[in-house]
């Protein structure tokens, strides 16, 4: 983190008050997530004593309910501030995991799972809003990259940690894991709570006005276009976890161990070089729209590679090398797209209604995750290469949309550090003027 701070100083990026605590808290939170996400069904089965069928039904129902709660989370951010809502969500998650071992009946488990799911589903919206509150300009891109790297590293560490716990205590270790999660979320909340928002005079004045409602978001066609483009890219983000294992086992008839190898390569690269790649993109001065488009193009290249591999179907050794090379290209696309795309959405949202804007934007990820399993399996049943072809078209469409949206988005969103000419053009009424929050009834 000291390295991050020194890089920020040398590149002219403003320091974020409490940044070290923010990143440490995010890392600890990711460890907690990694301790249960890879084993979620089995985890809750052993912690509560309920059948796997009941656990699965409750998790599906509460997860869908959590999606419906996201717009309310966006409204809460605009009303109370991302920092306060973020702290509340950490507290709810800490309490939920502390109670899971005692929720042995179906109604008790459903109640605890519902409250926890509401906090989990809304967390991405609130965290993105928090980055918008505490950072400006290129510092947002840097925090996006650092956050993603820490989340990957933390989740990997959490999965290893719970494996050690289970090796020592058996399935009874899931109870200790639940309490460990509770402690991790509580500690993360205390650390993240130390970060301080920054506001300029204009933003402070607009924040004192009554916040606008979702009607303002729905009238903002460039932002809705940005959200739609992200939905196309988000389908690609689901490919590694949903499509890749099925494609390997059915179409390529490859060993399941390759799936683990692919996930390991992806996680190690995201954690190890994510900040480095994002820093190079940021220091190149590339517009956020174009760097995000480049990430989508790298996704498309990886998907075309899968089509070629699925057509040739070479021997096992060639398949292994080719798959790992494709995963590297795919991961580079993720590392280039994610910081720029995240900072673009945060910066394109007017501050007074940022929570509502980002709740709308985050729905693109949630909808893609919900649609991906049925879409991929249906296409895979026709031809193993067909889902990759659809993903290629989606990624290319996302890249084109990002470039075409560029003139219609605020200059401060497109440029991490807007050049003087762009700033003067925006001030003089040129293309891509800065939008100002309107006062609309909530």
């Amino acid at each position: 983190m000291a390295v991050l701070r020194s890089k920020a100083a040398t590149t002219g990026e403003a320091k974020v008050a409490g940044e070290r605590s923010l990143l440490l808290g995010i890392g600890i939170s990711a460890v907690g997530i990694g301790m249960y996400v890879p084993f979620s069904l089995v985890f809750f089965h052993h912690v509560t004593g309920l059948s796997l069928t009941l656990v699965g039904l409750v998790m599906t129902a509460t997860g869908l309910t959590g999606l419906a709660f996201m717009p309310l989370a966006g409204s809460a951010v605009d009303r109370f501030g991302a920092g306060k809502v973020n702290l509340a969500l950490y507290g709810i998650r800490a309490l939920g995991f502390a109670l899971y071992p005692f929720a042995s009946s179906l109604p008790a488990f459903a109640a605890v799972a519902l409250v926890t799911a509401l906090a989990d589903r809304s967390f991405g919206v609130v965290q993105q809003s928090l980055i918008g509150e505490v950072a400006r300009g290129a510092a947002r891109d840097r925090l996006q990259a650092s956050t993603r790297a820490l989340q990957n590293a933390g989740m990997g560490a959490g999965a290893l940690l719970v494996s050690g716990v289970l090796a020592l205590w058996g399935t009874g270790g899931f109870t200790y894991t639940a309490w460990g999660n509770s402690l991790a979320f509580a500690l993360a909340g205390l650390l993240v709570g130390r970060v301080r928002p920054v506001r300029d005079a204009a933003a402070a004045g607009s924040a004192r006005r009554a916040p606008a409602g979702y009607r303002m978001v729905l009238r903002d066609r460039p932002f809705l276009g940005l959200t739609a483009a992200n939905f196309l890219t988000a389908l690609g983000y689901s490919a590694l976890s949903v499509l890749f294992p099925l494609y390997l086992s059915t179409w390529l008839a490859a060993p399941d161990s390759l799936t683990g190898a692919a996930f390991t390569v992806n996680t190690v690269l995201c954690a190890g070089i994510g900040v480095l790649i994002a820093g190079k993109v940021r220091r190149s001065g590339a517009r956020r729209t174009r760097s995000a488009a480049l990430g989508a193009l790298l996704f498309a290249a990886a998907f075309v590679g899968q089509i070629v591999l699925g057509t040739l179907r070479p021997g096992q050794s060639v398949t292994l090398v080719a798959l790992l090379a494709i995963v590297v290209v795919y991961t580079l696309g993720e590392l280039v797209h994610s910081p720029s795309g995240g900072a673009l959405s945060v910066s394109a949202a007017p501050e007074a209604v940022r929570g509502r804007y980002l709740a709308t934007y985050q729905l693109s990820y949630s909808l893609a995750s919900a649609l991906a399993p049925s879409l991929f399996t249906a296409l895979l049943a026709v031809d193993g290469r067909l889902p990759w072809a659809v993903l290629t078209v989606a990624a290319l469409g996302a890249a084109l949309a990002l470039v075409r949206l560029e003139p219609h988005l605020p200059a401060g969103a497109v440029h991490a550090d807007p050049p003087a000419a762009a700033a003067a053009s925006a001030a003089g009424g040129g293309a891509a003027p800065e939008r100002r929050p309107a006062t609309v009834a909530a």
Side-chain angles (χ1 to χ4, degrees):
M1 293 177 191
V3 174
L4 292 175
R5 186 174 59 181
S6 63
K7 283 184 178 180
T10 57
T11 57
E13 297 171 16
K15 293 182 179 180
V16 174
E19 179 177 336
R20 185 177 299 180
S21 295
L22 171 67
L23 295 178
L24 181 59
I26 289 172
I28 292 173
S29 173
V31 172
I33 294 170
M35 289 170 70
Y36 79 92
V37 164
F39 316 95
S40 52
L41 279 172
V42 178
F43 177 95
F44 291 117
H45 165 66
H46 285 290
V47 167
T48 64
L50 298 173
S51 70
L52 287 170
T53 302
L54 282 176
V55 170
L57 287 173
V58 170
M59 289 180 65
T60 299
T62 56
L64 291 174
T65 305
L67 287 180
F69 186 76
M70 287 173 63
L72 296 178
S75 298
V77 166
D78 294 334
R79 182 174 296 274
F80 303 109
K84 292 179 180 178
V85 179
N86 191 60
L87 188 59
L89 294 187
Y90 271 124
I92 292 171
R93 296 163 96 191
L95 179 62
F97 277 92
L99 292 177
Y100 270 127
F102 304 103
S104 55
S105 68
L106 179 58
F109 173 59
V112 175
L114 175 60
V115 174
T116 308
L118 297 182
D120 283 340
R121 291 288 185 177
S122 302
F123 189 74
V125 176
V126 179
Q127 182 169 279
Q128 289 291 92
S129 300
L130 183 63
I131 290 176
E133 279 191 5
V134 304
R136 291 287 184 269
R140 286 177 177 168
D141 304 69
R142 176 168 51 80
L143 281 183
Q144 293 280 353
S146 300
T147 296
R148 189 164 189 84
L150 284 169
Q151 285 173 335
N152 278 276
M155 289 182 68
L160 289 175
L161 181 60
V162 74
S163 298
V165 170
L166 295 178
L168 288 174
W169 288 292
T171 55
F174 279 119
T175 298
Y176 300 113
T177 302
W179 288 332
N181 286 345
S182 177
L183 181 61
F185 288 132
L187 180 57
L190 292 175
L191 288 167
V192 174
R194 298 176 63 183
V195 72
R196 294 291 176 262
V198 291
R199 295 183 185 275
D200 54 36
S206 65
R208 284 192 291 269
R209 297 197 296 269
Y214 276 101
R215 282 178 292 176
M216 178 179 176
V217 185
L218 296 177
R219 288 201 304 266
D220 192 335
R221 292 186 178 180
F223 192 85
L224 292 180
L226 189 64
T227 302
N230 191 67
F231 171 78
L232 296 176
T233 312
L235 286 172
Y237 275 93
S238 300
L240 187 64
S241 59
V242 179
L243 175 58
F244 194 82
L246 295 174
Y247 177 71
L248 282 180
S249 61
T250 59
W251 188 258
L252 292 182
D256 292 334
S257 59
L258 282 184
T259 299
F263 274 92
T264 300
V265 169
N266 177 262
T267 301
V268 170
L269 288 177
C270 285
I273 65 171
V275 175
L276 176 64
I277 295 296
K280 287 185 177 296
V281 172
R282 190 169 65 250
R283 289 190 291 274
S284 72
R287 300 173 185 181
R288 286 170 174 152
T289 43
R290 299 190 183 188
S291 53
L294 174 59
L297 290 176
L298 288 170
F299 269 2
F303 301 149
V304 169
Q306 293 284 27
I307 295 172
V308 172
L309 185 62
T311 301
L312 298 178
R313 296 187 181 184
Q316 289 285 342
S317 58
V318 176
T319 298
L320 172 61
V321 174
L323 280 173
L324 293 181
I326 289 170
V327 170
V328 170
V329 175
Y330 172 90
T331 305
L332 288 176
E334 183 179 342
L335 297 180
V336 172
H337 175 273
S338 180
S340 299
L344 181 62
S345 65
V346 171
S347 302
E351 181 160 345
V353 283
R354 184 181 290 133
R356 289 174 172 88
Y357 266 70
L358 293 182
T360 303
Y361 186 82
Q362 288 295 315
L363 279 174
S364 62
Y365 281 113
S366 299
L367 290 175
S369 298
L371 178 63
S374 58
L375 174 64
F376 293 160
T377 51
L379 294 173
L380 194 65
V382 178
D383 189 294
R385 296 161 294 185
L386 187 56
W388 299 113
V390 171
L391 286 174
T392 301
V393 173
L396 292 174
L400 177 62
L402 285 164
V403 174
R404 295 193 65 177
L405 283 168
E406 186 177 287
H408 307 288
L409 294 169
V414 172
H415 301 269
D417 289 311
S425 173
E434 294 284 354
R435 291 182 307 237
R436 291 178 173 79
T439 303
V440 184

